[in-house]
Amino acid sequence: MSQYDVLCIGNAIVDIIAQCDEAFLTDNGIIKGAMNLIDAERAELLYSRMGPAIEASGGSAGNTAAGIASFGGSAAYFGKVSRDHLGNIFTHDIHAQGVAFDTKPLDGTPPTARSMIFVTPDGERSMNTYLGACVELGPNDVEADKASGAKVTYFEGYLWDPPLAKEAIRLTASHAHAAGREVSMTLSDSFCVDRYRAEFLDLMRSGTIDIVFANSHEIKSLYETSSFDEALAQIRKDCKIAAVTRSEKGSVIVRGDETVVIKATEIRELVDTTGAGDLYAAGFLYGYTQGRSLKDCGDLGSLAAGLVIQQIGPRPRQNLKREAEQAGLL
Ligand SMILES: Nc1ncnc2c1ncn2[C@@H]1O[C@H](COP(=O)(O)OP(=O)(O)OP(=O)(O)O)[C@@H](O)[C@H]1O
Ligand SMILES: [Mg+2]
């Protein structure tokens, strides 16, 4: 008996979201579409220049955990917050969604991580992340029962930015594999791939990772090629399953010689792309841990991603199980 469908591990972050125009990004040296890492001082500066904002619990893997729970799956989460206001918000929201989250919070500094997310009129999000308490996530935070009790452990490539989290991942993965479970990661961001390319490839080639999620920029960065097809041919050899998202073109799932092409859903209005990749992973992993076909997993991913991009913030307000039932997917 599995205790959980999916254990998600990530940087525990509260998003601070505001709209801006294109000039704001260039004037402030923000790389569009990327996750820009910032220190406390720059966080203060950008916040002082930010327009009216809303706060919402985020963190890539946190969004995925919340999505899996919304589908009716059982999810657990490891991530480090501080015992402060933003930490309380993060903890409340993930618990309220029904995710098991018991990582011990930090007492005192650094404070809970936050990401200032600027959304341009085209719906693209540009993130500016101050990691705060996330730098303290380490192997002591690994709960062995959850690691060996989840059908799939899923973590963010973003965890290579703080110093100790990668040790937590290696330990969790060893518990998971010892229990016959599978391990999955998202490549997170093309600049993140650029920072840790050799380590990510080693995780895949050594068999630490079974299932990889990436968008088209990330796999091209991973294999240092401008050709999507070339990158796809390579990733087939380096992991058991790869699910590669292509924004409005949908996604492609490969498993050995098998290729499954998935359509994106029709959307009425693109509002904020934040969480698209995270919710795609939620739908996919929910389906996967229910034993569904790769086609069904991809369709569930498209459904959840298509909903989150039509609203502000990284977690869909709808109940995903009901949405999937109405769409005839469950
Ligand atoms: N314009 C769009 N129309 C319909 N679906 C979309 C659109 N953009 C994204 N999606 C859906 O979201 C999924 C993930 O999108 P994308 O490839 O942009 O991921 P991403 O770049 O990781 O997103 P994120 O902004 O969360 O990092 C796609 O496979 C698709 O199902
Ligand atoms: Mg992404």
Side-chain angles (χ1 to χ4, degrees):
M1 250 305 268
S2 297
Q3 204 184 348
Y4 296 102
D5 293 321
V6 186
L7 164 64
C8 297
I9 312 173
N11 287 326
I13 296 172
V14 174
D15 291 342
I16 303 174
I17 309 160
Q19 279 154 329
C20 77
D21 56 20
E22 296 284 341
F24 183 90
L25 300 181
T26 42
D27 291 350
N28 287 286
I30 297 168
I31 302 174
K32 188 176 177 182
M35 190 284 286
N36 300 259
L37 281 173
I38 59 171
D39 60 16
E41 200 184 336
R42 185 160 162 79
E44 288 293 333
L45 178 76
L46 284 180
Y47 192 57
S48 74
R49 293 180 179 170
M50 192 177 212
I54 59 160
E55 284 77 42
S57 290
S60 180
N63 299 335
T64 300
I68 289 164
S70 181
F71 273 110
S74 56
Y77 181 75
F78 298 167
K80 193 65 109 184
V81 295
S82 184
R83 251 185 247 279
D84 55 16
H85 179 59
L86 293 184
N88 290 341
I89 291 178
F90 184 93
T91 303
H92 168 84
D93 287 347
I94 205 158
H95 282 162
Q97 190 58 257
V99 176
F101 172 46
D102 303 303
T103 310
K104 194 172 174 297
L106 268 188
D107 280 309
T109 57
T112 297
R114 72 234 31 211
S115 185
M116 274 170 277
I117 303 186
F118 295 97
V119 181
T120 33
D122 59 358
E124 182 63 274
R125 91 289 181 278
S126 305
M127 303 190 290
N128 300 269
T129 305
Y130 166 62
L131 282 176
C134 297
V135 301
E136 300 284 335
L137 184 76
N140 291 339
D141 294 306
V142 174
E143 297 160 64
D145 55 332
K146 289 185 178 128
S148 50
K151 293 177 191 164
V152 175
T153 288
Y154 169 82
F155 68 88
E156 307 163 9
Y158 284 138
L159 286 175
W160 260 244
D161 287 321
L164 301 170
K166 56 176 86 63
E167 291 174 41
I169 295 305
R170 291 188 197 282
L171 180 59
T172 307
S174 67
H175 285 306
H177 279 147
R181 312 300 193 176
E182 288 185 297
V183 179
S184 174
M185 83 177 283
T186 167
L187 298 183
S188 291
D189 176 85
S190 62
F191 295 92
C192 181
V193 172
D194 204 43
R195 292 194 284 280
Y196 308 111
R197 180 176 296 109
E199 287 170 83
F200 289 177
L201 282 170
D202 182 62
L203 286 171
M204 292 162 63
R205 291 172 179 163
S206 65
T208 306
I209 306 300
D210 304 293
I211 305 167
V212 175
F213 291 87
N215 68 23
S216 53
H217 305 291
E218 292 152 12
I219 58 164
K220 287 192 272 185
S221 173
L222 185 66
Y223 295 107
E224 296 177 274
T225 170
S226 56
S227 159
F228 178 78
D229 291 337
E230 161 69 20
L232 201 64
Q234 298 248 17
I235 206 165
R236 273 181 207 278
K237 297 185 219 143
D238 284 339
C239 57
K240 281 205 271 182
I241 298 176
V244 184
T245 61
R246 311 185 78 183
S247 300
E248 71 284 351
K249 291 198 218 112
S251 58
V252 184
I253 304 163
V254 294
R255 175 169 57 190
D257 294 336
E258 195 182 342
T259 304
V260 181
V261 176
I262 304 292
K263 284 203 184 87
T265 56
E266 296 260 337
I267 59 164
R268 282 181 305 281
E269 189 196 5
L270 180 60
V271 175
D272 168 15
T273 60
T274 312
D278 307 336
L279 270 296
Y280 178 91
F284 186 102
L285 289 172
Y286 173 71
Y288 189 78
T289 52
Q290 303 306 306
R292 306 296 289 249
S293 67
L294 292 182
K295 165 83 169 60
D296 287 354
C297 295
D299 284 340
L300 288 164
S302 279
L303 173 93
L307 289 171
V308 79
I309 63 179
Q310 297 185 72
Q311 56 157 64
I312 291 175
R315 299 185 186 178
R317 277 180 283 280
Q318 299 90 339
N319 176 278
L320 294 175
K321 185 179 195 63
R322 199 152 51 231
E323 294 289 329
E325 282 167 357
Q326 277 165 9
L329 297 176
L330 288 179

